[in-house]
Amino acid sequence: LLARRYGERIVWSGALLGKMIVPLLLAIHPEPNMIKLLALWQGFTGALMWIAGISLIQMVAPEKKGLSNGLMMASIGVGSLLGPLGGRVLIYRQELSPLVSSGSWGEMWSRLFSFTPMTMTPNVSDFHLIFWILTATTLVCGVLVGLWGQHPGRFEQEVPAGWSRTLHDIGRLARTPKFWALVIALCLLGGPVFQASNQFLPFRAEDLGLKSGARDDGWIWLQLLKTLMWIPGGLAVGRLAGRRAPGIAAVIMLASFSLAALGIGMSGTAFQLFVYVAIFEFMRQFMRWSHAGYLSEHLPGGLRTTAIGFAITFSGLGSAIYAWAADALWDPATQSSQPIYAAALLGGVGCVGLFVFD
């Protein structure tokens, strides 16, 4: 609603500047009770950033949509891959610096990638530098997006809609059957498939010997594989974006995503888990795009931002309901596969419904 009313660039910039409060307060006053409140603010500003950002990159010439969507999705993968590695270097810098100074590069890399366990346990002060860096980079990015986040052209010259027009768009959206078909299938029923991996993959990894409590026996490699697969997944999205892919494309995306989740639940060895996680994370990028770029290509241009916002809201709603229900129905310590099967089943129901509708 805010992006439709004030423009995507302004909301994206404002969300970044608002998000800056989180690392800043963690750096100067990391109290447990405050962390709970900051988590809410982090989620709110993060949603604003994603909705405004993913909507803004649709505001390009049709022949450039593949490039804009592909670059953003691949960039998410690059940042998510390098960020944790950079953070690990900063957190364990007191242990890794002497190894670098003495020329023990092999041992340094071995500890960085968990082939050899670290000997030091990080404390709160070790995170302060990361929080200050995040504060500075978030501030700079907020300013850059606000000043130069949109290429001059037709979209930049559009006057943001007033509140009456914004509310009118909601009514138009509510009367559009295609919107409901896509949102219910891809978001409300597809959201739990996202959440299943987010919530239960650590338990699956523990079942298959990749981690045990705080001990890492390969978990870091699974995490790195996840973010690594976002890069080719994002580039692949660029090949499909802007082509107004038919309805069967959405069915294939959701079906592949759900089947990969089913594979994660059924994996009996660590190797199988790595394979299915790689497929799942590759398809995650397509599902992210389906909530934004794909959806906007099948609706009138004036409904783009509003549709994307409500699509992600429904995805969050489906994920939240699933998370609460799964937590009440299954003990992940002994039943790590069952909630993933349930999510895959919901995704399958969405596939059938979308296929019938289309």
Side-chain angles (χ1 to χ4, degrees):
L1 295 177
L2 292 175
R4 177 63 172 150
R5 173 62 185 85
Y6 298 106
E8 288 88 340
R9 178 171 56 89
I10 298 300
V11 174
W12 193 1
S13 174
L16 277 165
L17 295 176
K19 192 182 185 71
M20 181 184 67
I21 296 173
V22 176
L24 178 62
L25 291 180
L26 287 174
I28 62 179
H29 193 64
E31 293 294 328
N33 290 332
M34 180 175 290
I35 290 174
K36 296 176 182 178
L37 296 175
L38 289 177
L40 293 174
W41 184 247
Q42 168 89 357
F44 177 71
T45 54
L48 286 178
M49 285 170 51
W50 176 247
I51 294 169
I54 199 68
S55 179
L56 182 62
I57 66 168
Q58 310 308 320
M59 300 167 67
V60 296
E63 63 272 15
K64 296 291 185 181
K65 275 198 173 184
L67 178 63
S68 65
N69 281 271
L71 281 178
M72 183 169 187
M73 292 297 181
S75 297
I76 291 172
V78 173
S80 299
L81 180 66
L82 298 181
L85 287 176
R88 188 170 171 83
V89 169
L90 292 173
I91 291 172
Y92 290 101
R93 60 189 181 277
Q94 294 183 6
E95 180 171 344
L96 297 176
S97 293
L99 296 175
V100 174
S101 301
S102 63
S104 304
W105 289 97
E107 180 64 17
M108 188 277 290
W109 290 115
S110 179
R111 294 192 190 187
L112 179 62
F113 288 103
S114 288
F115 290 117
T116 303
M118 296 286 188
T119 59
M120 299 177 63
T121 301
N123 53 49
V124 174
S125 62
D126 293 319
F127 290 85
H128 284 169
L129 178 59
I130 291 179
F131 293 142
W132 284 116
I133 291 174
L134 286 174
T135 301
T137 54
T138 306
L139 173 61
V140 170
C141 289
V143 173
L144 291 176
V145 168
L147 294 177
W148 299 291
Q150 192 168 8
H151 191 276
R154 176 173 69 86
F155 290 107
E156 187 196 31
Q157 297 170 5
E158 286 184 352
V159 178
W163 280 116
S164 60
R165 186 177 168 190
T166 300
L167 296 176
H168 176 71
D169 288 344
I170 297 175
R172 285 181 63 199
L173 206 58
R175 295 189 298 271
T176 305
K178 177 165 279 191
F179 168 75
W180 288 111
L182 291 174
V183 162
I184 290 173
L186 296 173
C187 304
L188 191 64
L189 296 176
V193 187
F194 282 94
Q195 183 62 26
S197 173
N198 297 342
Q199 189 171 348
F200 297 106
L201 183 59
F203 296 98
R204 287 264 64 216
E206 191 151 355
D207 287 347
L208 299 176
L210 294 176
K211 65 192 294 285
S212 178
R215 194 180 72 209
D216 187 338
D217 296 316
W219 172 247
I220 186 175
W221 289 103
L222 192 64
Q223 293 297 97
L224 290 174
L225 175 66
K226 287 174 59 177
T227 53
L228 178 64
M229 292 306 300
W230 293 356
I231 300 174
L235 295 175
V237 164
R239 301 296 299 172
L240 190 60
R243 299 176 183 270
R244 204 174 186 277
I248 192 64
V251 175
I252 293 172
M253 286 188 286
L254 182 55
S256 302
F257 196 50
S258 301
L259 288 173
L262 182 64
I264 291 174
M266 295 179 65
S267 294
T269 65
F271 175 76
Q272 291 175 347
L273 186 64
F274 271 86
V275 170
Y276 284 114
V277 165
I279 299 171
F280 183 88
E281 297 303 328
F282 182 87
M283 293 307 305
R284 182 193 288 267
Q285 294 292 65
F286 281 91
M287 287 299 296
R288 283 171 168 165
W289 172 72
S290 76
H291 296 174
Y294 178 83
L295 183 72
S296 67
E297 289 178 15
H298 290 266
L299 294 172
L303 298 179
R304 179 192 62 253
T305 306
T306 311
I308 292 173
F310 276 95
I312 294 173
T313 297
F314 275 97
S315 180
L317 177 64
S319 298
I321 294 173
Y322 166 82
W324 293 330
D327 190 53
L329 292 173
W330 295 287
D331 176 10
T334 58
Q335 299 172 298
S336 64
S337 293
Q338 281 81 346
I340 300 178
Y341 295 156
L345 177 62
L346 290 173
V349 171
C351 289
V352 173
L354 196 56
F355 181 80
V356 171
F357 175 84
D358 193 65

